Amino acid sequence: MSDDVTVWLLGDQLNPTLDVLADADRLLLIEAHGFADRRPYHTHKLTLVFSAMRHFRDDLQERGHDVTYLQGESFGDALAAFLADHPETTLRLMRPASHGAADRLAELVAEHGSHLDLVENECFLTTPADWREWTGEHEPGRTYRQEHWYRHVRRETGILMDGDEPIGGEWNYDDYNQETPPDGWSPPAAPAFEPDALTRETHAWVTERFDTWGTDDLDGFAWPVTRAEALRALEEFIERRLPAFGRYQDALVAGEPFLAHSLCSPAINLGLLHPQEAIEAVEAAYAERGAEPGAFDPAGDGVGAGGIGAGGTGDTTATTLAAFGDDEPPEDTDTTLPPVPLNAAEGFIRQVLGWREFMRHVYRETMPELAGANQLDQPRDLPPAYWDGETEMTCLSEAVGHVREYGYAHHIERLMVLSNFALLYGADPAELNEWFHLGFVDAYHWVTTPNVVAMGSFGTDALSSKPYASSGNYVNRMSDYCASCPYTVSRTAGEGACPFNALYWDFLKENEEFLRGTGRMGLMYSHVDRKDDEEWEAIRERAATVRERAAAGEL
Ligand code: FAD
C-alpha cells in the first residue's frame, strides 16, 4: 500500500471533523450526476445534496485540505480520470451506508488497477461490531426490537443514565408525548438558511439538468447546507423548540408542517451533523435546564414556549420553513431559556440513539431481502394523489402537499398518513419506498427502506410484530384535520365516509389469516368479530369504491 493516501468522501459523509481525514494527503469528492437521472427526485433534494457537497469542498479548502472535486456522469468516469493522475495513491473510503455500495465501488477501483481501502463509517454512533455484540451471530429471518436495542445502548453509553438506572426511573416517557396543541399555539421559530449564491446556482443547474418532482421554487428551501448552519440549526432547536418537541411529537396541525420537530435529519444524514453531537447537546440541555416529564407549558412565557396566540417568537402566522426567519430572539423577549422536560429530552434521544441507529443496523442485517419484502402480497400501484397531491382527504392532501413543497413531512405524517393509507389501500411496499426515496430531502436507501418497507408497510416483521395500521380515528385524535374534511370520520360505509375507515376494516379482514395470530392484534380482531354480515358487505363495498376512486385520482 502506498504511503500517499487519498480519502474519498461520499456525498453523505460531509463532516470536516472525521478522524479519517487526519492522515489524508488529499481528499476526493465526486459529484456523480447519472444516479439522479434514474428517478424524478425532488428538486430540493438534489439542490441540497449538490449544494452541500460544493460548500463542503470550499469548507475543506478553507481548512487547508488539498481537495480534488470531480464532476461526471458516473463514479467510474471520475475515478478513471483521478487514478490516471494519481496511480500510486491509496484510496481510502469510509464504508458506504447503502447496501452493496462498498463492493461495487471496490470493484470499480479494481477495474482501474487500484485497491480501495475500506474503513469504518464514522458518521454513525454505533458500529456493526457493537450491534453484533448485542445480537450475537447473524441469523436469517430473525426479528429485532428497537426498545431492547435502545436500552442496551443507553446502558453501554451512559446517556441519560443515573448509574445503572435510566434518569427519572423510566426508559421511555411516550405517555407524555401524545398530545395536540391547544388552539392558537404556534411552535417557536426555527432558523431559515437563506440560499446563498452557490445554492442558487446549484438550484438553477438542477432544474435545468434534471427531470425533477416537487416544487421548482426555491422560496421554501431553508435547509442548512454547511456544517456551520447545521450546528446553528441544532442550537436553535435545543434553545427554543425542544421543550415542545416531546409533547407535540405525534400531533398533526393544519398549516404547521414542522411543529416542534428538529428538522435535523437532512443535516445528520448528509454528515453535516454527527448524531452523537445532537444527542450530547440535548443531554447537556437537559442537565442545565431539565424539568420533570410533562412540565412543558404551552402558554408559558419563555423564549422557547410558543404561548397560545403568541405565535412562538411573536409571529401569529402559521410557521413554514420560509417563515423560520428569525435567527435572533425578538428584542422584547425574555432571553431565559425555557425548561427542558425529561419527556422531550428522552424522546429526542430515543429517536436518534434508538431508532436511527437501529434502522441502520436492521437494514444491514436484512438486505437485500428487505428491499423486496412484501409479506402481505400487496400488489397495487400508488394512487395518483401521491404524485399530484389531488385529493379531497385533508390529511393526505396536507401530507403530500408538504412533501411536494418542502421534501419533508414529519414522522407521524410519514407513518400514520402516507404509509398508513398506502398500506390499507394495498400499495406495493417497493413502490412506496421509491416514492419516499425520491420525494424526501432526508431519504437515503439505508434509512428509507427499513422505515417504509418494514415499519410503514409491514413488508416484513423484522422490526415490529404488527402493522402500524389505523382507521380515521387516529388522525382525528391527533389532528385538527377531520373537522374541516369533506369526509366524515365518524362514518365507515356509504358515500362521504372517511376512506381510512372502510379500508382499515377491509384490510384486517383481507389479511386475517396472516394477522390474527400475530403480535398484539387480539383487540383489533375482537372488533372484527363483532361485525355482522351486513356491516361487512357495506365495508367491502365502500372499500372497493375508495380503491377505485383513489386509483382513478378521484378520491
Ligand atoms: P425529529 O422528529 O425531530 O426526530 C429527531 C431525529 O431522530 C431525526 O432527525 C432523525 O435523525 C431521527 N429519527 C427519528 N425517527 C427515526 C427513524 N424511524 N429512522 C431514522 N431516524 C429517525 N428518516 C430519515 O432520516 N430519512 C428517511 O428517508 C425517512 N423515511 C421515513 C419513512 C417513513 C415511512 C417513516 C415512518 C419514517 C421515516 N424516517 C426517515 C424517520 C423519521 O420520520 C424522520 O427521521 C424524521 O421525520 C425527520 O424529521 P426531523 O429531523 O424533524 O425528526
Side-chain angles (χ1 to χ4, degrees):
M1 228 191 285
S2 150
D3 287 346
D4 180 276
V5 174
T6 300
V7 170
W8 176 13
L9 292 160
L10 299 179
D12 60 354
Q13 301 176 343
L14 308 183
N15 194 309
T17 69
L18 300 166
D19 290 345
V20 71
L21 305 187
D23 301 330
D25 292 288
R26 80 189 58 71
L27 306 178
L28 171 66
L29 285 151
I30 301 177
E31 202 184 283
H33 303 154
F35 86 90
D37 287 322
R38 289 187 215 141
R39 307 174 173 95
Y41 284 102
H42 199 295
T43 313
H44 287 190
K45 177 177 177 141
L46 296 183
T47 302
L48 176 64
V49 171
F50 291 128
S51 173
M53 287 185 76
R54 294 170 187 187
H55 280 92
F56 186 56
R57 166 199 62 198
D58 299 347
D59 184 10
L60 289 173
Q61 280 166 345
E62 276 165 29
R63 289 169 192 259
H65 289 284
D66 175 356
V67 183
T68 303
Y69 193 89
L70 299 174
Q71 293 172 309
E73 279 311 293
S74 67
F75 282 147
D77 300 344
L79 275 177
F82 177 78
L83 291 171
D85 285 349
H86 303 87
E88 297 302 326
T89 197
T90 295
L91 202 52
R92 184 165 295 156
L93 177 72
M94 289 195 301
R95 204 165 263 285
S98 188
H99 175 81
D103 291 344
R104 278 197 303 278
L105 297 178
E107 268 170 38
L108 207 54
V109 172
E111 280 167 24
H112 295 289
S114 277
H115 166 76
L116 188 62
D117 180 25
L118 286 160
V119 296
E120 194 77 75
N121 190 330
E122 293 175 45
C123 294
F124 294 91
L125 188 72
T126 56
T127 63
D130 294 331
W131 174 265
R132 185 59 64 236
E133 203 182 299
W134 178 64
T135 57
E137 282 311 299
H138 171 77
E139 290 170 44
R142 184 177 158 179
T143 57
Y144 306 93
R145 295 296 172 257
Q146 186 275 150
E147 189 66 32
H148 303 159
W149 161 253
Y150 171 58
R151 292 181 188 195
H152 167 75
V153 183
R154 290 250 318 257
R155 282 197 190 95
E156 291 291 308
T157 57
I159 291 167
L160 275 194
M161 295 294 289
D162 182 5
D164 291 339
E165 293 302 313
I167 283 189
E170 302 288 337
W171 291 100
N172 180 321
Y173 293 92
D174 258 356
D175 284 354
Y176 294 92
N177 292 347
Q178 289 154 20
E179 290 191 34
T180 53
D183 285 348
W185 182 86
S186 296
F193 299 95
E194 180 68 23
D196 65 4
L198 184 52
T199 299
R200 289 189 182 283
E201 180 192 308
T202 306
H203 171 256
W205 167 75
V206 162
T207 50
E208 173 76 27
R209 162 70 179 76
F210 298 102
D211 187 9
T212 55
W213 181 76
T215 182
D216 267 354
D217 207 326
L218 202 56
D219 281 353
F221 183 98
W223 302 108
V225 294
T226 64
R227 173 151 169 85
E229 289 180 347
L231 286 169
R232 212 170 84 221
L234 175 65
E235 190 181 319
E236 293 262 333
F237 164 69
I238 290 174
E239 283 186 355
R240 304 181 189 195
R241 296 156 61 77
L242 176 61
F245 168 82
R247 180 179 288 211
Y248 303 138
Q249 205 179 336
D250 287 358
L252 301 151
V253 180
E256 293 289 356
F258 312 110
L259 285 165
H261 289 273
S262 70
L263 312 177
C264 279
S265 55
I268 297 182
N269 293 351
L270 283 166
L272 295 175
L273 270 184
H274 196 281
Q276 185 162 354
E277 57 197 351
I279 290 168
E280 284 175 356
V282 167
E283 195 183 22
Y286 177 72
E288 276 171 33
R289 295 153 51 200
E292 67 198 42
F296 175 72
D297 174 10
D301 55 6
V303 174
I308 299 171
T313 51
D315 177 1
T316 48
T317 58
T319 310
T320 66
L321 255 191
F324 281 177
D326 289 331
D327 294 333
E328 301 296 330
E331 279 174 15
D332 60 351
T333 308
D334 176 3
T335 51
T336 310
L337 295 175
V340 175
L342 182 52
N343 57 304
E346 187 281 320
F348 181 87
I349 287 173
R350 177 154 32 87
Q351 301 312 312
V352 183
L353 183 73
W355 280 109
R356 185 173 188 274
E357 296 287 318
F358 178 74
M359 287 304 198
R360 182 245 179 156
H361 293 301
V362 170
Y363 171 82
R364 288 190 315 97
E365 287 288 350
T366 58
M367 281 294 289
E369 291 78 13
L370 176 68
N374 188 0
Q375 64 183 355
L376 300 178
D377 290 328
Q378 304 262 69
R380 296 191 172 78
D381 290 341
L382 272 185
Y386 280 70
W387 300 102
D388 58 23
E390 297 291 320
T391 168
E392 297 290 314
M393 288 176 71
T394 303
C395 53
L396 194 56
S397 150
E398 283 267 338
V400 176
H402 298 158
V403 186
R404 285 169 61 85
E405 202 170 346
Y406 304 109
Y408 176 91
H410 69 66
H411 186 69
I412 290 300
E413 287 182 295
R414 297 186 202 206
L415 186 61
M416 299 313 292
V417 179
L418 296 164
S419 299
N420 188 24
F421 187 85
L423 171 74
L424 304 181
Y425 172 77
D428 176 359
E431 197 191 330
L432 185 67
N433 195 25
E434 277 288 304
W435 180 81
F436 268 97
H437 190 109
L438 65 87
F440 282 72
V441 287
D442 59 8
Y444 296 83
H445 199 255
W446 71 265
V447 60
T448 315
T449 306
N451 272 298
V452 177
V453 176
M455 184 188 250
S457 306
F458 201 50
T460 158
D461 62 356
L463 53 74
S464 63
S465 57
K466 75 186 209 10
Y468 286 86
S470 98
S471 68
N473 277 344
Y474 181 88
V475 172
N476 191 30
R477 195 168 70 245
M478 296 312 301
S479 81
D480 59 359
Y481 294 160
C482 300
S484 59
C485 182
Y487 291 105
T488 308
V489 69
S490 56
R491 289 180 45 223
T492 297
E495 196 58 33
C498 170
F500 266 119
N501 293 338
L503 287 182
Y504 173 71
W505 293 112
D506 188 58
F507 169 82
L508 290 184
K509 194 74 174 161
E510 286 295 306
N511 293 288
E512 183 167 5
E513 206 176 313
F514 194 96
L515 296 177
R516 187 183 271 276
T518 60
R520 294 149 287 154
M521 297 298 285
L523 178 65
M524 295 301 112
Y525 278 97
S526 69
H527 294 305
V528 166
D529 293 340
R530 279 205 288 273
K531 295 194 185 300
D532 62 27
D533 289 350
E534 205 179 318
E535 276 181 275
W536 282 116
E537 200 182 319
I539 287 169
R540 287 221 169 90
E541 200 180 308
R542 178 66 182 153
T545 306
V546 166
R547 289 203 178 93
E548 234 167 70
R549 290 194 188 154
E554 291 166 358
L555 198 59

